[in-house]
Structure formats: structure tokens, C-alpha cells
Amino acid sequence: MTVIEIDGLSKNYGADKAVDGVCLRVEQGEIFGIAGPNGAGKTTVVECASGLRRRDGGNLRVLGLDPQNDRRRLLQRIGVQLQEASLPGAIKVGEALRMYASFYDKPADWRELMDEWGLTDKRRAGFASLSGGWKQRLFIALALVGNPEVVFLDELTTGLDPSARRTTWGLIRNMRERGVTIVMVTHFMDEAAALCDRIAIIDRGRVAAEGSPRELIAKGRADSLEDAFLVLTGGETA
Ligand SMILES: Nc1ncnc2c1ncn2[C@@H]1O[C@H](COP(=O)(O)OP(=O)(O)OP(=O)(O)O)[C@@H](O)[C@H]1O
Ligand SMILES: [Mg+2]
């Protein structure tokens, strides 16, 4: 079953075409990666698909819903971890989880989630006092608290230490085993190769290439996904 259908998505910021005719399909249960240079339009695609930003053109369906017109219903069924999210500095970890859980009709057990993400010891810590990595973990847990069917993760592991990054890979695989469809933006090609079934490389607002890690390596006539990425985006080769 196709859970995300993006056809000819476009979004402009003034004269700047941030997204320019992106087409993507994501199947249920997939881990779908989005990679691409800084400023390519990845976050904008995620924001449009999750109902957080209005598009200028194209058709979108997520779980059969239009993110713009059926925003409320969609937000009950998806989880979003945003690249530049923030919370009031004084809010405590436990409070944030409890509050987010209250937004959903069928929330997960937020205490269990807090435990799963190693946040229980920090439950009384204020958001402002958390290091970048702990903030990131909290946002992951917040993205999962609504028991979502689809999760959008925008640079989930940026700022995590190597061990937290590997732990996160395991948790992403667990999510998928529970049937959750995952769309993840990442700049780490080792991560994309290890986790993603398929990856779209977005460059200057368009899909430059799409396929499994193996297919992308073949398309770029490269030895690794990182080299393929550089070839397919016209970047420098080593
Ligand atoms: N709110 C905004 N107002 C104006 N321009 C924006 C806004 N958000 C993004 N842009 C521009 O749109 C383009 C795409 O930005 P976007 O954040 O989607 O890229 P990205 O691929 O996520 O980049 P990164 O890898 O750095 O996160 C960029 O040129 C950016 O400067
Ligand atoms: Mg981004």
C-alpha cells in the first residue's frame, strides 16, 4: 500500500523555488530516506507533507489525506521530528511528554516511551538545561507519543554521539517492525545505507535520483553511497 504520494510538489519562498516539481511514492512499512545538499528543499518537502507548510503547487496524499485540507485528521496519525524544533526553556521532560500525549486521541504510554529513550533520569530536567543530544532524544520521543502510522524525522541523528546514533538506528528499526512507515532526512550516507530501503536524492528542489542504496551506487557508478551521492549531485569526488 502506498502511504505517501507526492506529485509535482512545488513551493516558493518569494522568488526562490525551494521545491520544484518533486514526485515521490512511499510504501507502507518502508524506511524512506531523503538526502541532498544543504538548501536542496528536503525540510520543505517534509513540512509540506506533514501539513506544517502550505504548498504552491502539486498534489499530496499522506494516508489518503491531503496534508493541507485534512490537516487535523492527519496530525492525529503522523509524528514529526523537526530539524529546528524548540520548546519553552522551563518545561520539564516529563511534562512535555505528558502534554504532547494529551494532544492525541490514542496516545502511547508516555512513561514507557520516556524509559525506552533513556529519558527517565532526565524527567525533571528543564528543556533549556538539556544538551543538544538530549533535546534530540526528547523530540524523537515526542514524535512517537501519538502512536503514529507515519513518522517524519528531519536530521534525527545530527548532534548525537556515535553510540546514541547506533542506539537510534535500532529504535528506528523497531519502529518499522511495528509497521510504522518512516521518512527520514539524513546527511549521513552510512546511516542511509544501513537503514533505508529506498532513498531520494533531492538537489535544487528536484529529485536528482531515487532508488535502493544499491541502485544509487550503480547509478553513480560508485563504490559507496557517499561517492554515489557526490556524483549524483554534481559534488566533488574524493
Ligand atoms: N521560511 C523560509 N523563508 C524563506 N526561505 C526559506 C525558508 N525555509 C527555507 N527557505 C529556503 O528554501 C530552500 C530550501 O530550504 P530547506 O530548509 O527545505 O532545505 P534543506 O534541504 O532542508 O537544507 P538543510 O540540509 O540545510 O537542512 C533554501 O534555499 C532555503 O534558504
Ligand atoms: Mg533541512
Side-chain angles (χ1 to χ4, degrees), residues 21-174:
V22 163
C23 299
L24 294 174
R25 290 275 179 287
V26 179
E27 303 300 320
Q28 193 194 6
E30 266 193 315
I31 301 181
F32 190 90
I34 299 180
N38 291 129
K42 304 176 299 295
T43 295
T44 305
V45 169
V46 165
E47 288 173 340
C48 291
S50 53
L52 302 175
R53 204 177 273 290
R54 297 185 74 81
R55 61 185 179 264
D56 291 317
N59 285 313
L60 290 185
R61 281 281 178 282
V62 178
L63 296 164
L65 301 169
D66 181 322
Q68 227 159 272
N69 301 330
D70 307 312
R71 188 167 178 269
R72 256 167 202 276
R73 277 202 291 163
L74 183 64
L75 289 178
Q76 284 291 327
R77 296 176 60 189
I78 64 172
V80 187
Q81 169 259 327
L82 282 178
Q83 189 179 357
E84 285 175 20
S86 194
L87 283 171
I91 197 168
K92 296 184 170 65
V93 166
E95 283 171 355
L97 281 159
R98 185 162 44 92
M99 179 178 83
Y100 271 60
S102 75
F103 297 156
Y104 295 93
D105 299 334
K106 291 178 218 150
D109 182 333
W110 62 268
R111 287 185 184 83
E112 227 169 69
L113 210 52
M114 187 165 69
D115 220 28
E116 196 176 352
W117 286 89
L119 287 160
T120 302
D121 288 347
K122 305 251 179 223
R123 70 186 178 281
R124 293 197 184 84
F127 178 74
S129 75
L130 299 174
S131 72
W134 286 104
K135 284 182 180 154
Q136 201 74 328
R137 278 187 190 227
L138 175 59
F139 284 121
I140 299 161
L142 292 175
L144 294 175
V145 83
N147 260 329
E149 291 161 68
V150 178
V151 174
F152 294 93
L153 305 169
D154 195 354
E155 297 202 32
L156 174 69
T157 59
T158 297
L160 295 184
D161 67 50
S163 130
R165 209 152 75 85
R166 288 305 168 104
T167 307
T168 306
W169 293 6
L171 288 157
I172 292 174
R173 291 194 181 103
N174 286 352

